[in-house]
Amino acid sequence: MARGGGGQNRAFARTANVKLSPIKAMELAASRVPDVVSLAQGIPSFDTPEPIKSFVQQKIAEGACATYSLTPGLPQLRECIAESLLREGMHYDPDQEIIVSSGSIEAIAATLLALTQPGDEIILSSPSYASYQEVVRIAGCTPRFAPLREEQNFAFDEEAFESCLSPHTRAILYCNPNNPTGTVFSETETRALIALAERHDLFLIIDEAYKDFVYTLEAYFSPAQVADVRQRIVRIFTFSKAYGMTGWRVGYLHSDARNVQEILKVHDALVTCAPVVSQYAALAALEYGHEHITTFRQAFKQRRDLTLTHLDQLSHVFDYQKPEGAYFVFPRIKDVIVHARDSYALAYDILEKAKVAVVPGIAFGPSGEAHIRLNFGRRTDDITTAFERLSEYFSPAAARRAQHTQRRASRPAASAAERISSPPIPRISRDLFSYQRIRSFAVLILRALARLSLWRKNPQVIAIAGSHGKTVIKRIVTELLAQRYRVQPNPRSYNTDIGLPLAILNIELASVRLRDLARGFARAVWTALFNTGAPDILVLEFGVRHRGDMQQLIRTVIPDIAILTTLTPSYSTDVEELHTLQDEMRVLCRADGASCRFVIDGDDPLLQDVIASLPTPPLLLHRSAWSIEESGLQLQSPDRRYAVTREIIGENERFSVQAAVAVAEHWTDLSPAEIQRFLSENTTVR
């Protein structure tokens, strides 16, 4: 018995640290919930196009699918793949440099097993596709996570990748467009990554599953287009997403012949060959499927825009970066939300109470925490129903019930931000007194450090307050002003007295453990006293929900410019809450009206009374400034008329663009030409 048990334990050693994908785990859980709406697993809503199915039916009838193909795949299919690659600027030999695989994950597994040794380290961007971590571990390697720059739409951070390097680093594995963020990494970023791989003799393994779903006009660029480095590039593609073929399990990889020769051995050992019936489907997809890709892409873009509109209506809950590709959005949960820093708990609570399946952000790497992933590749009615349920789940009444339940429940230790946002009620008055005293002391210290940092660096502070679209305004203002200035738009949304100093100092407390708290305070002291890196402009959200919130915020900083957006929220008809918002805006207006300049939504009736609190007239923005003429969309500012060709989604983004232009025209040195260039950036679907 003992010997048998020991053998069994050894048999499980390879999988001891491997977990079932959290995406699949969520789908399993959702399958047990009646009437659930799933925005979790990355399955597109479209069926496989009819020409593909008809072609395969013909091949089945001919008896062509009953036997194995050659291990690398059907010669005709590999030739067709080579022709498609050549059209995209990549020259690969169909006989020696292409393998047809059982989907992309098998291709990734075969590549890692062939090109690495146990103990090697693989750099993954964070966030990135959840299954990458597990396939790296199955290969006997260790994943190292390089965080992306969220404040720049999850762009590559070369320093973060450099810091992950060690003598054991063997490869970088990433996805472009990125799953889960929808980021499309530019040619400049890609070439920087190639240079990094060359300097340190690394493989670049790139998964381009979503390359056909890009919503910008910038030409998509793959490292496989650089012929000089083909020996270190392995490029992988799957037919699953582009052609509505997730169930067919077919894809391909291509690389230098020497790499492919080794990968082929593993591919043969794993699957012998990709399913022949699926290979014929892939052949039909390449020959007949192009027009269907265009249809899918246009539909996904429309669904993306619908999803972002819904997210804007939940701006008290979510902060997001606009996805440029794929069909995912990866919004950050604001710290005022219960379980904001426990995305597993939040995702399963949403599943239980709202019957909506989403994927917890932590599944995609350490920097994914405090996010969820939403799939907008689903049907439009599913997206609409899901957000109706999410709106109810995150409504103020539901939030109050959740906070009450959380305070009564016995829970593991919460993260720092969650503990700050919703502190548990101590059981005895002495504990309550001690907690409040410690917290008040921490607020005083952090506030003093933040004010010292502001005094030393003297950035211009732009604050955004109101109910609608604060995060969109922050993104647009930052993008416009960053053409000339160093702008710090902390990506996290801090709506607490202790959170605002953290945002100013640009630090985050990872947990409430003593070690992390000590490190956080040490970073705060160093930033305030010694850090010489100073932004020209600091963009902050002033989120208020309760009386007294604004007074706490302006004790830390009184902004130089304040943008007041719509007060009337889409998520509440609570008259008392609306009066509270008005009163809190008046507090800001009276804080230092002589020096703070205001940009205000002049069409919101709730802000009309607030405007009377100002000692000097504000700059009022009206929707009538927008017009559609024969030449296209026009924006009339107080100073000039601009032609607007950049993609704008919904009223929130229109107001955001208008506010950004007003700030740039009146209180910066940006030229009209720079503003026009920003407004002329065309990011419409190809």
Side-chain angles (χ1 to χ4, degrees):
M1 292 294 292
R3 289 172 59 189
Q8 189 177 42
N9 290 337
R10 288 195 298 273
F12 297 152
R14 181 178 291 276
T15 58
N17 295 321
V18 178
K19 303 185 293 292
L20 178 68
S21 164
I23 303 170
K24 313 308 188 298
M26 175 57 73
E27 287 295 338
L28 283 172
S31 69
R32 296 187 284 269
V33 177
D35 191 35
V36 71
V37 177
S38 178
L39 302 183
Q41 192 169 1
I43 301 175
S45 66
F46 297 109
D47 190 14
T48 304
E50 284 300 326
I52 297 174
K53 293 191 290 186
S54 297
F55 182 83
V56 171
Q57 288 168 353
Q58 178 184 340
K59 288 298 179 182
I60 293 173
E62 293 173 359
C65 303
T67 59
Y68 297 130
S69 73
L70 296 174
T71 296
L74 293 168
Q76 184 181 0
L77 174 56
R78 283 181 282 131
E79 289 172 3
C80 195
I81 291 169
E83 290 173 2
S84 70
L85 294 176
L86 192 60
R87 289 193 295 270
E88 297 178 30
M90 295 171 276
H91 186 277
Y92 284 85
D93 180 356
D95 293 326
Q96 302 293 327
E97 297 182 323
I98 295 173
I99 299 174
V100 182
S101 62
S102 295
S104 62
I105 202 67
E106 186 262 317
I108 293 169
T111 297
L112 289 172
L113 287 166
L115 302 184
T116 68
Q117 297 294 324
D120 284 347
E121 296 177 356
I122 309 299
I123 299 178
L124 307 177
S125 62
S126 177
S128 63
Y129 180 48
S131 292
Y132 292 164
Q133 305 171 40
E134 310 313 324
V135 75
V136 165
R137 293 186 177 102
I138 287 173
C141 300
T142 301
R144 299 296 183 202
F145 297 98
L148 302 175
R149 294 197 304 270
E150 182 172 358
E151 68 277 10
Q152 296 181 21
N153 202 3
F154 295 99
F156 278 134
D157 185 340
E158 190 172 349
E159 291 183 2
F161 277 82
E162 289 270 12
S163 67
C164 288
L165 294 171
S166 80
H168 303 290
T169 305
R170 182 65 169 163
I172 298 171
L173 167 59
Y174 73 104
C175 182
N176 190 25
N178 190 35
N179 175 4
T181 65
T183 307
V184 179
F185 301 117
S186 68
E187 179 175 348
T188 300
E189 292 174 278
T190 300
R191 288 190 180 278
L193 208 58
I194 291 172
L196 178 69
E198 287 194 284
R199 287 198 303 272
H200 299 280
D201 192 23
L202 306 176
F203 286 107
L204 275 184
I205 305 169
I206 177 169
D207 179 1
E208 296 189 2
Y210 303 97
K211 73 176 182 65
D212 293 297
F213 303 137
V214 175
Y215 312 122
T216 70
L217 283 179
E218 182 179 354
Y220 180 81
F221 183 79
S222 172
Q225 293 173 248
V226 183
D228 291 345
V229 294
R230 68 194 331 268
Q231 75 280 0
R232 65 177 72 256
I233 306 294
V234 180
R235 179 178 178 267
I236 293 160
F237 178 75
T238 175
F239 292 87
S240 295
K241 319 300 183 181
Y243 300 96
M245 292 172 55
T246 56
W248 296 84
R249 308 311 305 131
V250 63
Y252 62 82
L253 67 83
H254 57 92
S255 185
D256 182 75
R258 181 179 177 183
N259 297 332
V260 169
Q261 181 181 7
E262 298 304 311
I263 297 170
L264 184 64
K265 299 175 187 177
V266 182
H267 169 71
D268 176 45
L270 289 175
V271 297
T272 301
C273 67
V276 174
V277 66
S278 300
Q279 292 193 55
Y280 278 115
L283 180 62
L286 290 174
E287 292 186 350
Y288 309 122
H290 183 72
E291 66 182 60
H292 296 281
I293 291 178
T294 301
T295 300
F296 294 169
R297 181 168 56 240
Q298 290 172 344
F300 289 150
K301 180 187 176 294
Q302 292 171 356
R303 297 174 191 183
R304 180 201 66 169
D305 296 352
L306 173 64
T307 299
L308 298 188
T309 299
H310 284 304
L311 286 173
D312 287 341
Q313 292 169 352
L314 290 171
S315 61
H316 61 300
V317 177
F318 296 112
D319 183 0
Y320 69 87
Q321 305 293 325
K322 180 161 57 174
E324 301 167 325
Y327 44 69
F328 305 108
V329 62
F330 199 56
R332 175 177 283 274
I333 310 298
K334 295 190 174 183
D335 286 341
V336 294
I337 302 301
V338 175
H339 301 314
R341 297 305 178 93
D342 187 348
S343 56
Y344 268 116
L346 179 63
Y348 281 94
D349 197 57
I350 290 173
L351 178 63
E352 176 187 354
K353 296 176 181 175
K355 294 188 177 182
V356 176
V358 301
V359 185
I362 190 62
F364 302 96
S367 61
E369 186 57 290
H371 298 77
I372 58 173
R373 191 191 74 173
L374 304 173
N375 170 16
F376 56 79
R378 310 306 298 155
R379 297 195 312 263
T380 299
D381 56 344
D382 284 341
I383 294 170
T384 299
T385 300
F387 273 98
E388 287 173 353
R389 296 179 181 184
L390 289 173
S391 295
E392 172 59 27
Y393 175 86
F394 287 114
S395 67
R400 285 192 290 270
R401 290 194 299 271
Q403 288 178 341
H404 178 71
T405 300
Q406 184 193 39
R407 286 167 177 158
R408 292 174 60 89
S410 174
R411 304 178 61 243
S415 68
E418 186 177 337
R419 184 75 60 83
I420 290 165
S421 300
S422 303
I425 297 176
R427 285 179 287 185
I428 58 176
S429 59
R430 181 177 178 182
D431 289 342
L432 178 61
F433 175 74
S434 299
Y435 174 80
Q436 290 179 337
R437 184 169 60 180
I438 292 172
R439 187 181 188 283
S440 297
F441 180 72
V443 170
L444 289 173
I445 295 298
L446 285 172
R447 183 180 293 153
L449 292 172
R451 295 179 69 171
L452 176 60
S453 178
L454 291 170
W455 176 78
R456 285 184 59 240
K457 300 176 182 180
N458 195 32
Q460 183 167 251
V461 177
I462 301 175
I464 306 165
S467 295
H468 261 296
K470 294 190 295 295
T471 59
V472 181
I473 296 172
K474 180 174 63 176
R475 170 165 49 84
I476 297 296
V477 167
T478 298
E479 187 178 345
L480 174 55
L481 301 187
Q483 291 185 100
R484 178 174 295 197
Y485 301 98
R486 291 169 298 177
V487 185
Q488 179 184 310
N490 194 287
R492 296 143 183 84
S493 300
Y494 292 92
N495 298 321
T496 65
D497 53 351
I498 201 169
L500 186 64
L502 292 174
I504 292 169
L505 295 165
N506 202 27
I507 64 173
E508 183 175 5
L509 299 179
S511 76
V512 294
R513 291 180 300 179
L514 183 60
R515 181 181 61 182
D516 290 331
L517 290 173
R519 288 176 176 173
F521 273 97
R523 287 197 301 272
V525 171
W526 183 86
T527 299
L529 296 177
F530 306 110
N531 185 9
T532 56
D536 300 312
I537 298 172
L538 185 61
V539 184
L540 302 169
E541 286 189 55
F542 275 24
V544 297
R545 303 181 77 184
H546 308 291
R547 292 190 184 278
D549 285 352
M550 186 64 75
Q551 189 62 47
Q552 292 291 337
L553 297 175
I554 62 176
R555 285 178 182 172
T556 300
V557 58
I558 296 175
D560 301 293
I561 300 169
I563 301 172
L564 302 190
T565 183
T566 309
L567 286 189
T568 308
S570 60
Y571 57 87
S572 175
T573 56
D574 186 331
V575 174
E576 179 59 31
E577 181 179 11
L578 299 182
H579 287 163
T580 296
L581 287 171
Q582 282 183 303
D583 291 343
E584 291 303 295
M585 295 305 110
R586 290 189 185 98
V587 171
L588 177 60
C589 290
R590 292 193 296 262
D592 192 352
S595 61
C596 183
R597 295 151 292 184
F598 285 83
V599 179
I600 297 180
D601 181 356
D603 294 330
D604 182 21
L606 287 179
L607 282 172
Q608 297 305 311
D609 290 340
V610 173
I611 293 171
S613 305
L614 291 167
T616 56
L619 183 59
L620 299 180
L621 304 182
H622 298 282
R623 288 162 182 79
S624 59
W626 293 92
S627 62
I628 300 178
E629 301 178 3
E630 289 185 5
S631 57
L633 187 63
Q634 303 284 315
L635 172 61
Q636 179 66 58
S637 76
D639 294 339
R640 62 188 296 118
R641 179 178 290 269
Y642 296 98
V644 182
T645 57
R646 71 176 287 123
E647 180 184 50
I648 296 179
I649 303 171
E651 289 296 325
N652 284 345
E653 193 151 303
R654 281 200 181 192
F655 179 83
S656 301
V657 169
Q658 200 171 350
V661 169
V663 170
E665 280 189 333
H666 289 80
W667 300 302
T668 75
D669 293 328
L670 261 70
S671 67
E674 289 173 303
I675 297 172
Q676 181 62 72
R677 182 168 62 244
F678 167 78
L679 296 174
S680 299
E681 291 177 356
N682 196 328
T683 55
T684 55
V685 66
R686 290 188 285 189

